[in-house]
Amino acid sequence: MLWVDKYRPKTLDKVIVHQDVAQNLQKLVSEGDCPHLLFYGPSGSGKKTLIMALLRQIFGPSADKVKVENKVWKVDAGTRTIDVELTTLSSTHHVELNPSDAGFQDRYVVQEIIKEMAKNRPIDTKGKKGFKVLVLNEVDKLSREAQHSLRRTMEKYSASCRLVLCSNSSSKVTEAVRSRCLNVRINAPMEEEIVNVLEFIAKKEGLQSPQGFAARIAEKSNRNLRRAVLTFETCRVQQYPFTNNQAIPPMDWEQYVSEIASDIMKEQSPKRLFEVRGKLYELLTNCIPPEIILKRLLFELLKKLDSELKHEVSNWAAHYEHRMRLGQKAIFHLEAFVAKFMSIYKSFLISTFG
Amino acid sequence: MKRFCVEFDENFTGIKVSTGLRCSNETWIDKHKPHLLEELAVQKKKVDEVKTWFEQRQKAAMDGHSNVLLVAGPSGVGKTATIHAIASHLGVTIWEWTTPTPTVWAEHLHNSNSGLQYMSKLDEFEGFVERVRKYGLTSPTLMGSQASTILVVDDLPVVNRRDAYGRLERCLTLLVQLVRIPTAIVITNYDKNDSADYSTHCWEELLVSLHSAGACKVNFNPVTVYSIKRTLNTICRKEQRVVGADTIELIAKASGGDIRHAINSLQYLCLKERQDNISCLDDMLCLPFGKDETLSLFHALGKFLHNKRESEHTIASDGDTFLLKEKFVRFPLKMDSPEVVLRQAHGQATSLSEFLHENVLDFLSEEAIDDAWLVASYLSDADFLLSSLNGRLSRDVGAENIIQSAAASVAARGVLFGNAHPVPSRWHAIRRPKLWEVEKSSRRNKCQMFSQRSDLYNSIAISNQTVMAAEFRPSLKWLGCRASETFQADSMVEDDSVGASLHENDLDLSDEEIEDW
């Protein structure tokens, strides 16, 4: 089991980061009920962990007994029935799923599942807790139609089910949905908090971590706790006992992107552009989302760039990022950005060095 | 030929035909059918080739060689006419196989009700070939003059499926090897670049395999503009009509080497009383006649990518012409406007932009990174236009078409305009877009990733693609390759201990909970 899973706090009172949020949540559900919730915050900040802990707080240990299954939903879409296959994680009290995996059929999925949950509504012995919780991930990636249907179903079935939504940014969740939920913002953990977590893990694992080592990992993690823990574990496998000057292995794709960046800086020509395209293809083949590639590439380029060009380059990156989201073929836009950068950089070189 | 004319006649008589034609109730194609070798518009060399072949076969039954001649070429270049003219020149009788008219479904039902067995046209053809092979021509009228008979197979049955094609090929091969009388098989190869259709490949394959089975082959080329002009002039003279020389030239050019088409156009043109407005038509696009030329996608791509331009401005800059900045000025193109080329290529905008994207960088000169950006930005625009189709719920065909052609035009013109310093022409192979492979393998990887996640790790089970691809997979790779065995063993042990501790936790918690309640 990965450390990320192993040391994931199981209950609200055991969390290390976001203790204040956890306490509030604990108070919120002390009556055994809760409103609809929307958790939002950057990736790796602990949204999912808090949600799981919250469920456990409500339903007790049985919420931990989850099973993963690939379920096929038969959805009646007017004239025909569609089969939608989705991976769900469910216990007796909750169902968790990524509706955006269903692509443009997401709107059917949400409705259908909620309906089904409403149909076999659990009845507690105490007559209480007659609701199930539906955890929806990546709500911001849901289409507008799906969010719209979500709003309607939220109202209609609010007696039998609670929704816990989880997304990276609340700005892509429609106003209507946001206003029906209690919004909980989860910030990215501070570096000190990450260090605390890493040291806690080190203690549990019985590892000696030299002074400042955890801080270095935290710094590299970009305030992403999940990444910090994964990196920590990778370091452990690579070299133990830890030394202070031990190289922290970067993510392979990030290394690749920085190679691309230095390729771009070295030569600006159509031929080099073609080589860069090949490397970008490599990344895309490995399912690295193009937005992330672009972001990382910009980051790497800006590191090496003269400050007077930074503004223009960032502007173009934003332009092509927008294009990429509107368009279909990410490579066209990625490449256009690279070409633009090369063109800017080359004319800069010529004007400064002649 | 004959069938074509019948249909043509029917069409024509249906319309009110002007007085000029009523007197001669025949189409000019039939009327002016070449009877003498000299009248043929076909290249002399090819005619001689066919003629010599027939003469040789007539003189002596050549046992060693096959008695089959394959005549191949595009439609309307005079394949059949040549054979007929030669036959009349040599004084031999033509015995022609014509494919029976296809059975329509209703007719088939009727037949099967009345007990008739359905026979596919291919079956009939096979039967025919079998008979010819074994017994020669058995028609009683021809029995006597067997020596001076040639067989012409002008019309091969249509085959669509692989097995049907196999049968046809087998049966033709047998014919090639065993037939005793001189036989000509006429094969029309449809415009090769017209479509990537299965049937075109079929015919090519068939030609090759028959050729290797021993048949002689003569390829007919499209008729030259000069020959068409000559023929048209002759016809005009015979019909006593005055048609301007430039009009004839236009017809000849527009026909694309198809003489049948040219003659039809001429006749059609002569139907019109007023001929004065014909001659002023100089734009190929609004001609009332002319064969729509087709280009292959690759041909069109080649045009866009090579970007051939005049070396100077042909149009002198008048006072009223729009003045452009230096950097926007390009020399005029040495081709039709991109939209015309696009229409001829009838390619999809999506695949066009993908092909252009894949190949355009090869055609840029080495230093021109600005050009590369310009091209890339236009391709990005085209992609943006194309994707605006996807989000729409109410699909409007008209709007879709407009967007498609706009995107194609942006992509093509962007490539033409952006490539301001094209490399001097040299040969480049056009690659197919690598993007397709990338998309495919990326989809596969994604599926694989999703299928793995459920049986691997707890927290990955439901995490999204970004997190999996960018965070879990790289770490798992590190963990996996560095210490796969030890790690696994470790984790097994750890698993147990964690399980135990978890259990304790559970107990703790439930106690607390009970207190809570």
Side-chain angles (χ1 to χ4, degrees):
Chain A
M1 192 191 255
L2 291 169
W3 288 358
V4 190
D5 289 327
K6 196 167 156 190
Y7 296 108
R8 187 189 292 276
K10 295 286 186 301
T11 57
L12 284 177
D13 42 9
K14 292 237 169 86
V15 299
I16 299 173
V17 287
H18 302 305
Q19 282 175 352
D20 46 340
V21 179
Q23 277 165 17
N24 283 339
L25 286 174
Q26 215 162 356
K27 275 181 218 149
L28 183 73
V29 298
S30 59
E31 294 298 318
D33 200 353
C34 74
H36 298 308
L37 292 168
L38 169 64
F39 285 80
Y40 63 99
S43 167
S45 57
K47 300 180 293 291
K48 206 72 77 55
T49 309
L50 282 169
I51 292 171
M52 293 314 291
L54 180 76
L55 288 175
R56 182 168 165 130
Q57 186 76 32
I58 303 175
F59 297 111
S62 59
D64 275 348
K65 297 198 179 63
V66 290
K67 60 173 190 278
V68 179
E69 54 187 341
N70 272 320
K71 218 167 169 183
V72 179
W73 309 85
K74 283 214 183 305
V75 179
D76 186 34
T79 50
R80 67 225 156 89
T81 47
I82 310 172
D83 285 346
V84 183
E85 196 184 339
L86 272 184
T87 313
T88 62
L89 192 74
S90 58
S91 73
T92 44
H93 302 289
H94 87 284
V95 179
E96 180 181 347
L97 72 162
N98 274 358
S100 56
D101 283 357
F104 58 90
Q105 282 151 347
D106 51 4
R107 61 214 151 104
Y108 301 120
V109 175
V110 174
Q111 239 170 4
E112 201 61 24
I113 294 167
I114 297 181
K115 261 186 222 161
E116 198 187 280
M117 281 172 65
K119 245 184 262 165
N120 38 28
R121 179 177 169 181
I123 298 192
D124 207 43
T125 42
K126 294 168 194 161
K128 272 175 139 188
K129 285 186 210 162
F131 64 85
K132 270 182 121 174
V133 174
L134 176 64
V135 181
L136 297 178
N137 291 317
E138 297 182 283
V139 198
D140 46 350
K141 286 201 184 149
L142 281 181
S143 61
R144 287 195 81 77
E145 289 80 17
Q147 295 199 21
H148 196 73
S149 78
L150 188 63
R151 185 194 70 146
R152 301 268 297 113
T153 29
M154 267 166 108
E155 278 170 357
K156 209 168 163 192
Y157 298 102
S158 64
S160 54
C161 105
R162 297 286 173 275
L163 287 173
V164 177
L165 311 176
C166 179
S167 81
N168 281 342
S169 129
S170 70
S171 64
K172 280 178 201 145
V173 182
T174 57
E175 196 68 43
V177 170
R178 262 189 287 164
S179 84
R180 283 169 175 77
C181 298
L182 177 70
N183 294 14
V184 184
R185 175 169 166 79
I186 312 291
N187 292 318
M190 305 302 289
E191 281 182 17
E192 302 88 69
E193 290 177 305
I194 294 179
V195 170
N196 285 344
V197 173
L198 294 183
E199 275 166 1
F200 166 78
I201 292 176
K203 206 172 80 192
K204 284 270 179 182
E205 286 282 320
L207 301 174
Q208 298 292 322
S209 131
Q211 195 73 37
F213 183 67
R216 272 177 62 213
I217 292 180
E219 190 194 7
K220 282 255 172 168
S221 72
N222 210 9
R223 289 177 69 190
N224 179 337
L225 187 57
R226 175 178 38 233
R227 260 193 75 171
V229 177
L230 282 170
T231 318
F232 192 48
E233 187 171 2
T234 319
C235 288
R236 157 78 177 80
V237 174
Q238 271 200 314
Q239 185 185 345
Y240 185 77
F242 298 127
T243 56
N244 232 339
N245 52 2
Q246 177 177 353
I248 291 167
M251 297 287 164
D252 50 0
W253 65 273
E254 287 181 355
Q255 207 167 13
Y256 205 67
V257 171
S258 80
E259 271 170 37
I260 295 178
S262 53
D263 279 355
I264 294 173
M265 302 296 276
K266 256 183 238 147
E267 187 190 325
Q268 296 86 34
S269 68
K271 202 168 147 244
R272 180 53 61 97
L273 183 61
F274 185 71
E275 288 161 21
V276 167
R277 178 200 291 174
K279 293 193 172 179
L280 290 175
Y281 272 150
E282 189 70 27
L283 285 172
L284 290 175
T285 313
N286 281 309
C287 303
I288 310 287
E291 300 86 31
I292 292 195
I293 299 176
L294 182 63
K295 204 168 145 189
R296 188 74 200 177
L297 186 61
L298 178 67
F299 175 74
E300 294 286 347
L301 288 173
L302 287 182
K303 268 203 291 198
K304 302 170 184 170
L305 202 60
D306 203 89
S307 56
E308 64 182 280
L309 292 181
K310 281 185 179 172
H311 170 254
E312 196 184 355
V313 168
S314 310
N315 179 30
W316 282 106
H319 175 81
Y320 283 112
E321 205 255 346
H322 183 226
R323 273 299 170 78
M324 198 150 69
R325 291 199 189 262
L326 293 175
Q328 284 174 300
K329 309 221 158 42
I331 187 72
F332 282 39
H333 311 287
L334 278 175
E335 198 179 304
F337 168 68
V338 173
K340 185 66 194 174
F341 179 85
M342 282 181 170
S343 149
I344 292 173
Y345 191 66
K346 193 177 177 191
S347 61
F348 167 76
L349 287 182
I350 288 171
S351 69
T352 41
F353 304 111
Chain B
M1 181 74 109
K2 214 158 268 167
R3 215 159 44 105
F4 171 82
C5 292
V6 168
E7 280 168 17
F8 195 78
D9 260 346
E10 278 168 3
N11 287 345
F12 252 67
T13 44
I15 312 163
K16 283 272 175 241
V17 183
S18 70
T19 44
L21 223 139
R22 187 155 292 169
C23 56
S24 59
N25 212 351
E26 210 180 359
T27 57
W28 289 1
I29 290 179
D30 273 348
K31 203 168 154 194
H32 301 288
K33 201 171 167 182
H35 297 291
L36 303 172
L37 289 184
E38 294 77 50
E39 285 174 352
L40 284 169
V42 187
Q43 261 183 313
K44 188 98 177 35
K45 209 179 100 215
K46 299 282 176 189
V47 180
D48 283 345
E49 218 174 302
V50 179
K51 200 176 89 186
T52 349
W53 187 86
F54 274 118
E55 280 168 354
Q56 278 177 357
R57 298 301 128 132
Q58 264 206 320
K59 259 183 235 147
M62 299 168 76
D63 277 337
H65 301 277
S66 166
N67 283 321
V68 172
L69 177 73
L70 300 170
V71 182
S75 54
V77 298
K79 298 183 294 292
T80 316
T82 307
I83 292 173
H84 281 258
I86 289 173
S88 66
H89 174 79
L90 297 176
V92 293
T93 330
I94 286 180
W95 178 243
E96 198 171 351
W97 157 261
T98 41
T99 303
T101 40
T103 321
V104 291
W105 179 242
E107 191 183 335
H108 170 64
L109 283 184
H110 179 80
N111 283 349
S112 54
N113 282 344
S114 56
L116 279 169
Q117 189 99 56
Y118 172 71
M119 212 175 162
S120 89
K121 304 308 153 197
L122 188 54
D123 290 336
E124 286 183 34
F125 184 69
E126 274 184 330
F128 166 75
V129 169
E130 179 107 354
R131 274 202 312 281
V132 168
R133 229 176 52 220
K134 286 189 181 142
Y135 315 114
L137 293 172
T138 48
S139 169
T141 52
L142 287 166
M143 276 303 255
S145 55
Q146 172 110 209
S148 56
T149 305
I150 58 171
L151 177 70
V152 175
V153 179
D154 195 354
D155 206 1
L156 292 175
V158 180
V159 287
N160 285 320
R161 293 191 322 272
R162 195 75 217 171
D163 55 335
Y165 165 72
R167 271 172 65 194
L168 182 66
E169 188 186 354
R170 259 195 312 283
C171 122
L172 281 175
T173 314
L174 279 177
L175 185 75
V176 168
Q177 284 160 352
L178 297 170
V179 75
R180 310 279 309 169
I181 39 176
T183 304
I185 300 178
V186 179
I187 294 177
T188 307
N189 33 11
Y190 301 98
D191 227 344
K192 265 182 220 150
N193 49 29
D194 190 11
S195 57
D197 201 359
Y198 175 64
S199 57
T200 44
H201 291 299
C202 244
W203 295 124
E204 273 170 41
E205 257 177 65
L206 192 66
L207 266 179
V208 172
S209 77
L210 292 185
H211 189 56
S212 62
C216 294
K217 193 171 102 181
V218 177
N219 254 326
F220 276 46
N221 299 325
V223 186
T224 55
V225 174
Y226 176 74
S227 311
I228 295 183
K229 261 160 61 183
R230 210 185 50 192
T231 314
L232 293 184
N233 278 325
T234 318
I235 293 176
C236 284
R237 230 180 6 260
K238 280 187 191 161
E239 292 286 329
Q240 291 164 357
R241 273 165 207 276
V242 187
V243 181
D246 46 348
T247 315
I248 287 190
E249 172 124 16
L250 264 183
I251 296 177
K253 273 185 184 158
S255 67
D258 183 343
I259 190 157
R260 188 188 302 154
H261 184 90
I263 297 174
N264 277 334
S265 299
L266 183 70
Q267 189 175 12
Y268 171 68
L269 214 64
C270 289
L271 289 178
K272 295 197 173 176
E273 295 300 312
R274 279 173 295 133
Q275 292 179 4
D276 47 352
N277 60 354
I278 299 163
S279 50
C280 65
L281 293 168
D282 51 0
D283 187 5
M284 295 283 271
L285 285 181
C286 39
L287 282 181
F289 48 80
K291 201 168 168 175
D292 284 343
E293 261 192 272
T294 52
L295 285 172
S296 69
L297 181 61
F298 286 88
H299 199 142
L301 285 171
K303 285 191 176 215
F304 295 141
L305 291 170
H306 280 294
N307 200 2
K308 292 219 176 86
R309 289 173 185 272
E310 311 286 349
S311 50
E312 57 188 22
H313 284 281
T314 45
I315 311 156
S317 53
D318 303 329
D320 56 332
T321 46
F322 195 59
L323 272 181
L324 285 170
K325 276 192 188 167
E326 182 79 35
K327 63 171 179 173
F328 296 127
V329 175
R330 301 282 187 273
F331 290 125
L333 287 171
K334 267 191 195 167
M335 61 171 175
D336 298 329
S337 76
E339 284 74 23
V340 176
V341 177
L342 281 173
R343 192 172 43 209
Q344 286 173 348
H346 46 72
Q348 291 289 305
T350 320
S351 54
L352 178 89
S353 63
E354 282 163 355
F355 269 106
L356 287 176
H357 170 254
E358 176 68 37
N359 293 293
V360 72
L361 290 181
D362 291 349
F363 293 85
L364 296 174
S365 72
E366 259 167 50
E367 290 299 302
I369 189 64
D370 294 349
D371 292 355
W373 170 66
L374 213 50
V375 167
S377 78
Y378 280 115
L379 288 176
S380 150
D381 289 345
D383 177 54
F384 168 56
L385 278 174
L386 282 174
S387 70
S388 60
L389 293 174
N390 276 24
R392 301 273 178 285
L393 277 180
S394 56
R395 293 201 130 198
D396 181 355
V397 181
E400 207 167 296
N401 277 338
I402 288 173
I403 292 183
Q404 282 263 356
S405 44
S409 160
V410 164
R413 280 184 181 272
V415 166
L416 288 171
F417 173 75
N419 189 3
H421 316 284
V423 282
S425 187
R426 62 192 149 118
W427 191 79
H428 280 291
I430 289 185
R431 292 182 303 267
R432 67 198 279 276
K434 207 182 157 203
L435 183 63
W436 296 349
E437 276 167 55
V438 170
E439 277 177 347
K440 216 163 90 187
S441 54
S442 145
R443 250 196 316 273
R444 203 180 46 232
N445 281 345
K446 193 172 157 184
C447 288
Q448 201 185 357
M449 201 161 77
F450 278 155
S451 67
Q452 273 176 358
R453 69 176 180 187
S454 51
D455 50 41
L456 259 180
Y457 298 93
N458 198 359
S459 62
I460 313 177
I462 210 78
S463 54
N464 59 33
Q465 191 199 337
T466 316
V467 172
M468 288 196 43
E471 292 178 20
F472 278 112
R473 280 184 89 200
S475 326
L476 284 176
K477 232 181 274 169
W478 276 109
L479 296 175
C481 70
R482 287 292 157 132
S484 51
E485 291 121 39
T486 51
F487 179 71
Q488 288 225 317
D490 272 356
S491 69
M492 289 302 281
V493 178
E494 280 161 8
D495 258 348
D496 283 348
S497 62
V498 171
S501 67
L502 260 183
H503 199 63
E504 280 167 25
N505 280 351
D506 280 359
L507 286 178
D508 287 350
L509 239 183
S510 48
D511 284 344
E512 284 166 27
E513 262 193 341
I514 287 162
E515 279 169 28
D516 268 2
W517 293 118

